[in-house]
Amino acid sequence: MRWLVAIICLAGSPAWAQAPQRVVTVNLCLDQIALRLAAPGQLVGLSYLSHDPRLSVLADRARAIAPVRAKVESILELRPDLVILDRDAHANLKRLVRKAGVPILEVPWASSLEDAEGLIARIGAALGREAESRAIIADMQEQRRQLSRPGPPTALAATLQANRGTAGKGSLMDELLHLSGYRNLAAELGIPAYGRLALESVLAGRPDLLVLDGSANANPARATEFVDHNALLALAGSTRLVSIPLKYTVCAGPENIEALKLLRETRR
């Protein structure tokens, strides 16, 4: 228990002598981890985004738990004994929650599989669910070992997201592509983790694989019209398309294994 107390003290929160019984999270990615780790009834509030099946892989499970917005009233009415928050966000909210005497665990953003494993371990310790966290991490590592393609990446891939967004160098998708044996066109063009990639650049790059969320334009909008853009027809015959739902890559965590499985299928 001493190391659990140390973790919480380092986060700037009061220590407690036993596992919390009423936990709230207000961040989609933290929701996904807490849902996997928490004991029955231990989690009493999640961000409202966790109820959205387009973003949350555990939406069905999340709907049984109260949706919460990042407002102190919404959180305190659930009478939490622990609130888990992103370290780099909601400074005023944290101040108000602490003022109300509620312990807070601040955790860093996870942008890689290794980061996610560290986050799972840390939240598991805070919830008193160390065995569960170890099992999840071990499964992630084994699945990654089985799905990763050995050797340096050879084929070239490009990713397109809403508003011509892309996942560049150092992004989670960049890591998933490399594990699957693909070089990342955006990274090779010098685009950072979160940037934009013009359709013209995709056409000029002639990637072997184009990654997008095929359901993104189910409700047509300017931000997602690229999914059905005629220009992409020019890649037919030379480029494979794979649809990876956003919910598998929006957060670093066990759900990334589903993205790796879809990418692995493209190399067969």
Side-chain angles (χ1 to χ4, degrees):
M1 183 59 71
R2 290 180 181 174
W3 52 277
L4 172 56
V5 171
I7 287 174
I8 297 166
C9 287
L10 285 173
S13 302
W16 54 88
Q18 61 183 9
Q21 302 301 305
R22 298 184 62 81
V23 179
V24 171
T25 65
V26 291
N27 172 290
L28 173 65
C29 297
L30 300 181
D31 296 340
Q32 307 297 297
I33 293 175
L35 277 166
R36 289 182 167 94
L37 287 171
Q42 189 178 27
L43 200 56
V44 297
L46 297 165
S47 82
Y48 69 98
L49 293 176
S50 67
H51 290 205
D52 186 340
R54 297 169 301 176
L55 300 173
S56 170
V57 294
L58 301 174
D60 289 344
R61 196 187 307 179
R63 290 193 190 103
I65 300 172
V68 176
R69 291 184 180 270
K71 296 182 179 180
V72 67
E73 298 84 0
S74 178
I75 293 171
L76 294 183
E77 70 180 8
L78 295 173
R79 297 178 290 107
D81 54 5
L82 176 65
V83 180
I84 305 177
L85 292 162
D86 184 346
R87 181 185 62 192
D88 300 316
H90 305 303
N92 190 52
L93 175 64
K94 293 171 189 171
R95 180 182 63 80
L96 293 172
V97 171
R98 285 194 176 103
K99 187 175 180 180
V102 178
I104 289 175
L105 176 64
E106 295 184 64
V107 293
W109 176 258
S111 58
S112 69
L113 292 172
E114 184 178 358
D115 288 349
E117 291 165 4
L119 196 54
I120 290 166
R122 188 168 183 181
I123 293 176
L127 298 184
R129 306 283 285 176
E130 295 92 338
E132 289 76 8
S133 68
R134 287 194 296 270
I136 291 173
I137 293 167
D139 183 64
M140 284 179 63
Q141 293 174 341
E142 175 59 20
Q143 296 249 36
R144 184 162 77 246
R145 185 191 66 79
Q146 292 182 14
L147 293 169
S148 296
R149 187 179 179 90
T154 53
L156 182 65
T159 65
L160 283 177
Q161 303 165 352
N163 291 310
R164 308 290 171 86
T166 193
K169 184 176 178 60
S171 65
L172 174 62
M173 179 56 80
D174 189 41
E175 178 182 13
L176 298 178
L177 288 174
H178 280 201
L179 288 172
S180 304
Y182 287 101
R183 294 156 32 229
N184 183 359
L185 176 62
E188 294 189 356
L189 291 175
I191 297 173
Y194 304 101
R196 292 183 177 233
L197 182 63
L199 283 178
E200 294 79 6
S201 297
V202 176
L203 296 175
R206 307 298 295 182
D208 301 290
L209 180 72
L210 179 60
V211 181
L212 46 77
D213 181 352
S215 64
N217 206 37
N219 297 308
R222 290 184 62 85
T224 54
E225 64 184 359
F226 70 90
V227 171
D228 302 313
H229 201 290
N230 289 333
L232 294 183
L233 296 176
L235 297 174
S238 62
T239 299
R240 297 189 67 176
L241 269 67
V242 62
S243 175
I244 299 182
L246 179 62
K247 64 184 177 181
Y248 293 149
T249 60
V250 69
C251 299
E255 56 267 35
N256 303 152
I257 300 302
E258 296 304 317
L260 281 176
K261 290 177 180 177
L262 291 169
L263 288 168
R264 180 185 175 92
E265 289 297 318
T266 68
R267 297 304 305 268
R268 291 184 176 179

PDB file of all heavy atoms in Angstrom, residues 239-261:
ATOM      1  N   THR A 239      -3.426   0.948 -54.903  1.00  0.00           N
ATOM      2  CA  THR A 239      -3.485   1.220 -53.470  1.00  0.00           C
ATOM      3  C   THR A 239      -4.647   0.463 -52.835  1.00  0.00           C
ATOM      4  O   THR A 239      -5.775   0.517 -53.343  1.00  0.00           O
ATOM      5  CB  THR A 239      -3.664   2.726 -53.208  1.00  0.00           C
ATOM      6  OG1 THR A 239      -2.543   3.429 -53.746  1.00  0.00           O
ATOM      7  CG2 THR A 239      -3.761   3.018 -51.719  1.00  0.00           C
ATOM      8  N   ARG A 240      -4.355  -0.207 -51.753  1.00  0.00           N
ATOM      9  CA  ARG A 240      -5.425  -0.861 -50.999  1.00  0.00           C
ATOM     10  C   ARG A 240      -6.026   0.144 -50.025  1.00  0.00           C
ATOM     11  O   ARG A 240      -5.316   1.009 -49.497  1.00  0.00           O
ATOM     12  CB  ARG A 240      -4.889  -2.068 -50.240  1.00  0.00           C
ATOM     13  CG  ARG A 240      -4.329  -3.166 -51.102  1.00  0.00           C
ATOM     14  CD  ARG A 240      -4.033  -4.406 -50.293  1.00  0.00           C
ATOM     15  NE  ARG A 240      -5.258  -5.016 -49.773  1.00  0.00           N
ATOM     16  CZ  ARG A 240      -5.282  -6.168 -49.095  1.00  0.00           C
ATOM     17  NH1 ARG A 240      -4.153  -6.809 -48.843  1.00  0.00           N
ATOM     18  NH2 ARG A 240      -6.423  -6.657 -48.648  1.00  0.00           N
ATOM     19  N   LEU A 241      -7.308   0.018 -49.784  1.00  0.00           N
ATOM     20  CA  LEU A 241      -7.984   0.851 -48.793  1.00  0.00           C
ATOM     21  C   LEU A 241      -8.387  -0.022 -47.614  1.00  0.00           C
ATOM     22  O   LEU A 241      -8.865  -1.153 -47.802  1.00  0.00           O
ATOM     23  CB  LEU A 241      -9.229   1.506 -49.393  1.00  0.00           C
ATOM     24  CG  LEU A 241      -9.058   2.882 -50.035  1.00  0.00           C
ATOM     25  CD1 LEU A 241      -8.200   2.764 -51.285  1.00  0.00           C
ATOM     26  CD2 LEU A 241     -10.413   3.494 -50.375  1.00  0.00           C
ATOM     27  N   VAL A 242      -8.181   0.487 -46.415  1.00  0.00           N
ATOM     28  CA  VAL A 242      -8.642  -0.210 -45.227  1.00  0.00           C
ATOM     29  C   VAL A 242      -9.396   0.786 -44.353  1.00  0.00           C
ATOM     30  O   VAL A 242      -8.958   1.927 -44.170  1.00  0.00           O
ATOM     31  CB  VAL A 242      -7.482  -0.858 -44.441  1.00  0.00           C
ATOM     32  CG1 VAL A 242      -6.489   0.184 -43.937  1.00  0.00           C
ATOM     33  CG2 VAL A 242      -8.017  -1.682 -43.267  1.00  0.00           C
ATOM     34  N   SER A 243     -10.545   0.361 -43.883  1.00  0.00           N
ATOM     35  CA  SER A 243     -11.350   1.203 -43.000  1.00  0.00           C
ATOM     36  C   SER A 243     -11.084   0.802 -41.553  1.00  0.00           C
ATOM     37  O   SER A 243     -11.325  -0.347 -41.163  1.00  0.00           O
ATOM     38  CB  SER A 243     -12.841   1.042 -43.325  1.00  0.00           C
ATOM     39  OG  SER A 243     -13.629   1.760 -42.397  1.00  0.00           O
ATOM     40  N   ILE A 244     -10.563   1.735 -40.783  1.00  0.00           N
ATOM     41  CA  ILE A 244     -10.321   1.504 -39.361  1.00  0.00           C
ATOM     42  C   ILE A 244     -11.164   2.507 -38.576  1.00  0.00           C
ATOM     43  O   ILE A 244     -10.884   3.707 -38.608  1.00  0.00           O
ATOM     44  CB  ILE A 244      -8.832   1.657 -39.001  1.00  0.00           C
ATOM     45  CG1 ILE A 244      -8.001   0.630 -39.778  1.00  0.00           C
ATOM     46  CG2 ILE A 244      -8.626   1.493 -37.498  1.00  0.00           C
ATOM     47  CD1 ILE A 244      -6.525   0.655 -39.455  1.00  0.00           C
ATOM     48  N   PRO A 245     -12.203   2.061 -37.906  1.00  0.00           N
ATOM     49  CA  PRO A 245     -13.048   2.980 -37.141  1.00  0.00           C
ATOM     50  C   PRO A 245     -12.239   3.822 -36.163  1.00  0.00           C
ATOM     51  O   PRO A 245     -11.298   3.329 -35.526  1.00  0.00           O
ATOM     52  CB  PRO A 245     -14.013   2.044 -36.406  1.00  0.00           C
ATOM     53  CG  PRO A 245     -14.085   0.831 -37.277  1.00  0.00           C
ATOM     54  CD  PRO A 245     -12.690   0.673 -37.824  1.00  0.00           C
ATOM     55  N   LEU A 246     -12.609   5.081 -36.066  1.00  0.00           N
ATOM     56  CA  LEU A 246     -11.891   6.012 -35.195  1.00  0.00           C
ATOM     57  C   LEU A 246     -11.785   5.507 -33.768  1.00  0.00           C
ATOM     58  O   LEU A 246     -10.780   5.735 -33.089  1.00  0.00           O
ATOM     59  CB  LEU A 246     -12.599   7.374 -35.227  1.00  0.00           C
ATOM     60  CG  LEU A 246     -12.014   8.487 -34.360  1.00  0.00           C
ATOM     61  CD1 LEU A 246     -10.596   8.816 -34.794  1.00  0.00           C
ATOM     62  CD2 LEU A 246     -12.904   9.725 -34.430  1.00  0.00           C
ATOM     63  N   LYS A 247     -12.802   4.789 -33.302  1.00  0.00           N
ATOM     64  CA  LYS A 247     -12.805   4.345 -31.905  1.00  0.00           C
ATOM     65  C   LYS A 247     -11.644   3.404 -31.582  1.00  0.00           C
ATOM     66  O   LYS A 247     -11.296   3.213 -30.418  1.00  0.00           O
ATOM     67  CB  LYS A 247     -14.129   3.669 -31.569  1.00  0.00           C
ATOM     68  CG  LYS A 247     -14.407   2.400 -32.341  1.00  0.00           C
ATOM     69  CD  LYS A 247     -15.796   1.863 -31.998  1.00  0.00           C
ATOM     70  CE  LYS A 247     -16.133   0.620 -32.817  1.00  0.00           C
ATOM     71  NZ  LYS A 247     -17.504   0.134 -32.472  1.00  0.00           N
ATOM     72  N   TYR A 248     -11.008   2.820 -32.605  1.00  0.00           N
ATOM     73  CA  TYR A 248      -9.882   1.926 -32.366  1.00  0.00           C
ATOM     74  C   TYR A 248      -8.552   2.664 -32.251  1.00  0.00           C
ATOM     75  O   TYR A 248      -7.541   2.048 -31.874  1.00  0.00           O
ATOM     76  CB  TYR A 248      -9.774   0.888 -33.473  1.00  0.00           C
ATOM     77  CG  TYR A 248     -10.912  -0.106 -33.515  1.00  0.00           C
ATOM     78  CD1 TYR A 248     -11.322  -0.665 -34.720  1.00  0.00           C
ATOM     79  CD2 TYR A 248     -11.576  -0.488 -32.352  1.00  0.00           C
ATOM     80  CE1 TYR A 248     -12.371  -1.579 -34.768  1.00  0.00           C
ATOM     81  CE2 TYR A 248     -12.625  -1.391 -32.386  1.00  0.00           C
ATOM     82  CZ  TYR A 248     -13.022  -1.937 -33.600  1.00  0.00           C
ATOM     83  OH  TYR A 248     -14.056  -2.844 -33.644  1.00  0.00           O
ATOM     84  N   THR A 249      -8.524   3.941 -32.585  1.00  0.00           N
ATOM     85  CA  THR A 249      -7.249   4.667 -32.577  1.00  0.00           C
ATOM     86  C   THR A 249      -7.317   6.021 -31.884  1.00  0.00           C
ATOM     87  O   THR A 249      -6.292   6.683 -31.756  1.00  0.00           O
ATOM     88  CB  THR A 249      -6.749   4.894 -34.017  1.00  0.00           C
ATOM     89  OG1 THR A 249      -7.705   5.672 -34.752  1.00  0.00           O
ATOM     90  CG2 THR A 249      -6.518   3.572 -34.736  1.00  0.00           C
ATOM     91  N   VAL A 250      -8.494   6.443 -31.427  1.00  0.00           N
ATOM     92  CA  VAL A 250      -8.586   7.761 -30.809  1.00  0.00           C
ATOM     93  C   VAL A 250      -7.857   7.793 -29.467  1.00  0.00           C
ATOM     94  O   VAL A 250      -7.348   8.842 -29.045  1.00  0.00           O
ATOM     95  CB  VAL A 250     -10.071   8.185 -30.647  1.00  0.00           C
ATOM     96  CG1 VAL A 250     -10.791   7.345 -29.608  1.00  0.00           C
ATOM     97  CG2 VAL A 250     -10.174   9.670 -30.294  1.00  0.00           C
ATOM     98  N   CYS A 251      -7.753   6.649 -28.800  1.00  0.00           N
ATOM     99  CA  CYS A 251      -7.038   6.549 -27.528  1.00  0.00           C
ATOM    100  C   CYS A 251      -5.993   5.437 -27.626  1.00  0.00           C
ATOM    101  O   CYS A 251      -6.160   4.478 -28.381  1.00  0.00           O
ATOM    102  CB  CYS A 251      -7.992   6.199 -26.390  1.00  0.00           C
ATOM    103  SG  CYS A 251      -9.311   7.402 -26.103  1.00  0.00           S
ATOM    104  N   ALA A 252      -4.929   5.572 -26.855  1.00  0.00           N
ATOM    105  CA  ALA A 252      -3.949   4.490 -26.752  1.00  0.00           C
ATOM    106  C   ALA A 252      -4.438   3.513 -25.696  1.00  0.00           C
ATOM    107  O   ALA A 252      -4.738   3.901 -24.567  1.00  0.00           O
ATOM    108  CB  ALA A 252      -2.580   5.048 -26.362  1.00  0.00           C
ATOM    109  N   GLY A 253      -4.552   2.241 -26.081  1.00  0.00           N
ATOM    110  CA  GLY A 253      -5.047   1.259 -25.131  1.00  0.00           C
ATOM    111  C   GLY A 253      -5.312  -0.081 -25.789  1.00  0.00           C
ATOM    112  O   GLY A 253      -4.941  -0.309 -26.947  1.00  0.00           O
ATOM    113  N   PRO A 254      -5.966  -0.981 -25.092  1.00  0.00           N
ATOM    114  CA  PRO A 254      -6.235  -2.314 -25.631  1.00  0.00           C
ATOM    115  C   PRO A 254      -6.998  -2.302 -26.953  1.00  0.00           C
ATOM    116  O   PRO A 254      -6.852  -3.228 -27.761  1.00  0.00           O
ATOM    117  CB  PRO A 254      -7.059  -2.974 -24.518  1.00  0.00           C
ATOM    118  CG  PRO A 254      -6.633  -2.280 -23.274  1.00  0.00           C
ATOM    119  CD  PRO A 254      -6.404  -0.858 -23.685  1.00  0.00           C
ATOM    120  N   GLU A 255      -7.802  -1.267 -27.191  1.00  0.00           N
ATOM    121  CA  GLU A 255      -8.568  -1.198 -28.445  1.00  0.00           C
ATOM    122  C   GLU A 255      -7.674  -1.077 -29.669  1.00  0.00           C
ATOM    123  O   GLU A 255      -8.091  -1.387 -30.791  1.00  0.00           O
ATOM    124  CB  GLU A 255      -9.564  -0.041 -28.406  1.00  0.00           C
ATOM    125  CG  GLU A 255      -8.979   1.311 -28.136  1.00  0.00           C
ATOM    126  CD  GLU A 255      -8.987   1.684 -26.655  1.00  0.00           C
ATOM    127  OE1 GLU A 255      -8.797   0.771 -25.807  1.00  0.00           O
ATOM    128  OE2 GLU A 255      -9.196   2.866 -26.344  1.00  0.00           O
ATOM    129  N   ASN A 256      -6.424  -0.642 -29.471  1.00  0.00           N
ATOM    130  CA  ASN A 256      -5.493  -0.538 -30.601  1.00  0.00           C
ATOM    131  C   ASN A 256      -5.186  -1.896 -31.219  1.00  0.00           C
ATOM    132  O   ASN A 256      -4.773  -1.985 -32.388  1.00  0.00           O
ATOM    133  CB  ASN A 256      -4.187   0.111 -30.167  1.00  0.00           C
ATOM    134  CG  ASN A 256      -4.363   1.484 -29.559  1.00  0.00           C
ATOM    135  OD1 ASN A 256      -3.545   1.891 -28.739  1.00  0.00           O
ATOM    136  ND2 ASN A 256      -5.415   2.210 -29.904  1.00  0.00           N
ATOM    137  N   ILE A 257      -5.382  -2.963 -30.458  1.00  0.00           N
ATOM    138  CA  ILE A 257      -5.140  -4.306 -30.986  1.00  0.00           C
ATOM    139  C   ILE A 257      -6.071  -4.578 -32.163  1.00  0.00           C
ATOM    140  O   ILE A 257      -5.683  -5.241 -33.138  1.00  0.00           O
ATOM    141  CB  ILE A 257      -5.335  -5.369 -29.884  1.00  0.00           C
ATOM    142  CG1 ILE A 257      -4.342  -5.111 -28.723  1.00  0.00           C
ATOM    143  CG2 ILE A 257      -5.178  -6.764 -30.444  1.00  0.00           C
ATOM    144  CD1 ILE A 257      -2.890  -5.118 -29.132  1.00  0.00           C
ATOM    145  N   GLU A 258      -7.302  -4.045 -32.121  1.00  0.00           N
ATOM    146  CA  GLU A 258      -8.234  -4.235 -33.234  1.00  0.00           C
ATOM    147  C   GLU A 258      -7.708  -3.543 -34.489  1.00  0.00           C
ATOM    148  O   GLU A 258      -7.859  -4.054 -35.599  1.00  0.00           O
ATOM    149  CB  GLU A 258      -9.616  -3.714 -32.860  1.00  0.00           C
ATOM    150  CG  GLU A 258     -10.280  -4.461 -31.717  1.00  0.00           C
ATOM    151  CD  GLU A 258     -10.381  -5.949 -31.999  1.00  0.00           C
ATOM    152  OE1 GLU A 258     -10.738  -6.331 -33.135  1.00  0.00           O
ATOM    153  OE2 GLU A 258     -10.100  -6.739 -31.077  1.00  0.00           O
ATOM    154  N   ALA A 259      -7.110  -2.377 -34.317  1.00  0.00           N
ATOM    155  CA  ALA A 259      -6.514  -1.681 -35.464  1.00  0.00           C
ATOM    156  C   ALA A 259      -5.348  -2.492 -36.030  1.00  0.00           C
ATOM    157  O   ALA A 259      -5.191  -2.606 -37.251  1.00  0.00           O
ATOM    158  CB  ALA A 259      -6.046  -0.290 -35.047  1.00  0.00           C
ATOM    159  N   LEU A 260      -4.524  -3.059 -35.159  1.00  0.00           N
ATOM    160  CA  LEU A 260      -3.406  -3.877 -35.619  1.00  0.00           C
ATOM    161  C   LEU A 260      -3.895  -5.097 -36.400  1.00  0.00           C
ATOM    162  O   LEU A 260      -3.289  -5.493 -37.402  1.00  0.00           O
ATOM    163  CB  LEU A 260      -2.554  -4.330 -34.433  1.00  0.00           C
ATOM    164  CG  LEU A 260      -1.571  -3.313 -33.855  1.00  0.00           C
ATOM    165  CD1 LEU A 260      -0.873  -3.897 -32.631  1.00  0.00           C
ATOM    166  CD2 LEU A 260      -0.541  -2.895 -34.896  1.00  0.00           C
ATOM    167  N   LYS A 261      -4.992  -5.692 -35.956  1.00  0.00           N
ATOM    168  CA  LYS A 261      -5.543  -6.843 -36.671  1.00  0.00           C
ATOM    169  C   LYS A 261      -5.988  -6.457 -38.072  1.00  0.00           C
ATOM    170  O   LYS A 261      -5.742  -7.185 -39.044  1.00  0.00           O
ATOM    171  CB  LYS A 261      -6.719  -7.429 -35.887  1.00  0.00           C
ATOM    172  CG  LYS A 261      -6.327  -8.129 -34.602  1.00  0.00           C
ATOM    173  CD  LYS A 261      -7.551  -8.625 -33.847  1.00  0.00           C
ATOM    174  CE  LYS A 261      -7.161  -9.326 -32.550  1.00  0.00           C
ATOM    175  NZ  LYS A 261      -8.349  -9.760 -31.774  1.00  0.00           N
TER     176      LYS A 261
END
